[in-house]
Amino acid sequence: MANDKPNQPQDESRRRFLKYSGTAIGGVVLGGVIGGLVGANLKDKDKEETPAAPQTATDNKDYNQALMFFNQDQFLTAEAAAERLFPKDDLGPGAKELGVAFFIDHQMASAFGTNSRDYMQPPYYKAEATQGYQLVFKRRELIALGLDALNGYSNTKYKKPFVEIAPEEQDAVLTAFESNDIELKDVPASNFFAMFLNLTLEGVYADPLYGGNKNMAGWKMRNFPGNQMSYTEYIEKEEFVKLEPMSLHDHLELG
């Protein structure tokens, strides 16, 4: 019994070492990293839990808003053009605030933008209006070509890039593309305009997972419920039931 007291601090130290080093088992062991963690815990034996780190500004960043395909000029042009097609007003935010240009950029970087599911081999024939997309260009090529052409046309007509001209001048440029008043390389300008318009509306109303419809504001403007898990408790009600919209991300949090 006389030998117990001198060994007690050593035994306690060993138990603490085993306790804290056990948290590293099964993880990635990187040389002195684990040793540093264990040593810090041994030195501070009075602290069993580490307080949460204070929240910083980076915690509120939307990491979905990152460019995947466009260069900076193309992105800014897409942002300005989309805002003219879906402008901010007293009913709600416009395309810029909703992040529509990020949605379009992400779509162009995806399989949709590369037409990976479409037959794109020759021979090529002039398509009927009812046949849908029948162009040689991949969608991402057409959108990039059109955005560059918007700037080229604006520089020629107004001596400024598209993002720097007045809103009414931007409307005139977009109208010229819609009406085929200008020529693009081997493709009608109206094809670009029609696709860009569709992408803009999709970016306003798609699930925020895809980069647009930020904070589900596009849905909220139309009282659209988004991706609800169930409607069983509302489906037989005669009156209109306004629900807070839910995104696909919300289901992860509920799960």
Side-chain angles (χ1 to χ4, degrees):
M1 297 294 293
N3 293 329
D4 289 345
K5 287 186 177 180
N7 291 335
Q8 186 175 357
Q10 183 177 359
D11 292 341
E12 183 181 350
S13 176
R14 181 160 58 256
R15 283 196 297 272
R16 291 203 313 275
F17 174 81
L18 292 174
K19 174 183 177 181
Y20 292 116
S21 62
T23 61
I25 297 176
V28 179
V29 180
L30 299 176
V33 174
I34 297 301
L37 291 174
V38 173
N41 282 308
L42 289 175
K43 290 179 181 178
D44 196 1
K45 62 181 180 181
D46 294 328
K47 293 184 179 180
E48 292 295 330
E49 295 183 1
T50 303
Q55 189 177 29
T56 63
T58 58
D59 296 327
N60 297 322
K61 286 184 177 180
D62 185 352
Y63 291 97
N64 202 26
Q65 293 195 337
L67 295 185
M68 297 180 180
F69 172 69
F70 289 148
N71 61 39
Q72 190 70 16
D73 287 339
Q74 290 169 342
F75 171 76
L76 293 175
T77 303
E79 191 174 58
E83 181 68 17
R84 295 312 303 156
L85 297 175
F86 196 92
K88 179 180 181 179
D89 58 20
D90 55 356
L91 297 177
K96 181 177 180 178
E97 189 175 341
L98 290 168
V100 167
F102 287 107
F103 168 84
I104 298 175
D105 170 76
H106 294 183
Q107 290 298 298
M108 296 304 99
S110 72
F112 173 81
T114 58
N115 295 69
S116 63
R117 296 186 179 182
D118 298 339
Y119 185 82
M120 299 289 291
Q121 302 300 317
Y124 303 109
Y125 300 100
K126 182 176 176 59
E128 298 295 332
T130 56
Q131 289 184 299
Y133 188 83
Q134 299 287 325
L135 297 178
V136 177
F137 291 101
K138 296 176 180 178
R139 293 184 183 93
R140 65 193 295 175
E141 295 170 342
L142 176 60
I143 293 298
L145 176 67
L147 292 173
D148 291 341
L150 282 177
N151 269 326
Y153 183 76
S154 299
N155 279 316
T156 299
K157 189 173 179 66
Y158 299 105
K159 309 305 180 185
K160 294 180 181 178
F162 184 82
V163 297
E164 295 181 11
I165 59 179
E168 60 272 14
E169 294 171 337
Q170 291 177 335
D171 291 345
V173 173
L174 291 170
T175 299
F177 277 69
E178 181 184 19
S179 305
N180 275 330
D181 292 340
I182 66 167
E183 293 184 2
L184 294 182
K185 179 183 178 182
D186 300 325
V187 58
S190 59
N191 284 43
F192 158 75
F193 178 87
M195 181 175 292
F196 189 83
L197 175 61
N198 286 337
L199 287 167
T200 297
L201 295 177
E202 290 171 8
V204 170
Y205 298 118
D207 191 282
L209 173 71
Y210 299 100
N213 190 15
K214 188 173 183 180
N215 297 324
M216 296 179 285
W219 289 347
K220 291 174 182 177
M221 283 189 285
R222 291 185 171 269
N223 292 322
F224 180 68
N227 295 295
Q228 300 286 328
M229 297 185 72
S230 172
Y231 296 95
T232 53
E233 56 184 305
Y234 313 109
I235 196 168
E236 295 186 0
K237 293 183 180 292
E238 294 185 2
E239 70 275 12
F240 177 77
V241 179
K242 184 176 180 179
L243 302 175
E244 280 297 311
M246 293 182 65
S247 70
L248 294 172
H249 179 270
D250 293 329
H251 296 309
L252 291 176
E253 293 183 338
L254 290 173

